Amino acid sequence: MKAKHQRLALAMLAVAAVIGAAVLALSALQDQAAFFYAPSDVKRDEIPVGRAVRLGGMVEKGSVVRQKDGVTVHFVVTDGKAEVPVRFTGVTPDLFREGSGVVAEGRFEPDGGFVADNLLAKHDERYMPPQMAGTMHKTGTLKQ
């Protein structure tokens, strides 16, 4: 076998190894990946029931209802075009409130509702940690 053929065989073997690794990685990720949907995407696309997904949008004002058990919260996530009712059992993040952004991790139920396992509250882009704002206020670099 000539050197040229040996290099070609090694290159083909390397390409096959990379493709095999990519296929294995994608098959492993397929079960773990959680896709992100907005409420209007949910209405437009058919989301499989029971699959782990992320639902993001704004908590509709006046929609947060806490149950008597103190840990179950019902609220509506909206993007202005569509709404999805969400149920979450657990401790809500400090930034969770009506009119703020939220990302709920969980799954859809057959009735179209969403059961969240985890809530991530979002703040606006102007947020600054209080310690940093205090330091900048002292130095005069914080602009209102």
Side-chain angles (χ1 to χ4, degrees):
M1 186 180 263
K2 294 181 179 181
K4 180 179 177 182
H5 292 127
Q6 288 177 343
R7 286 193 301 264
L8 181 62
L10 286 174
M12 292 179 70
L13 184 64
V15 169
V18 168
I19 290 172
V23 168
L24 288 174
L26 288 176
S27 68
L29 263 177
Q30 194 167 21
D31 294 336
Q32 301 297 322
F35 296 100
F36 180 85
Y37 293 98
S40 58
D41 296 336
V42 174
K43 299 293 180 190
R44 186 185 63 231
D45 301 337
E46 189 167 320
I47 309 298
V49 174
R51 183 175 182 181
V53 295
R54 290 182 177 170
L55 175 69
M58 303 296 286
V59 178
E60 189 169 71
K61 291 184 178 179
S63 70
V64 176
V65 177
R66 297 189 184 272
Q67 297 295 308
K68 290 183 179 180
D69 62 4
V71 293
T72 302
V73 179
H74 295 266
F75 58 96
V76 174
V77 173
T78 183
D79 61 355
K81 298 177 183 173
E83 301 171 344
V84 174
V86 178
R87 180 182 50 158
F88 174 70
T89 301
V91 178
T92 58
D94 291 339
L95 295 173
F96 177 79
R97 62 183 58 105
E98 294 177 352
S100 67
V102 68
V103 175
E105 297 174 341
R107 52 197 43 82
F108 283 95
E109 295 183 317
D111 64 355
F114 189 82
V115 177
D117 300 325
N118 190 21
L119 286 182
L120 304 169
K122 296 174 16 178
H123 51 74
D124 65 7
E125 66 277 356
R126 295 174 290 168
Y127 173 76
M128 182 177 297
Q131 298 84 5
M132 185 64 152
T135 303
M136 293 178 76
H137 183 72
K138 289 177 187 173
T139 60
T141 56
L142 180 63
K143 296 183 180 179
Q144 299 295 327

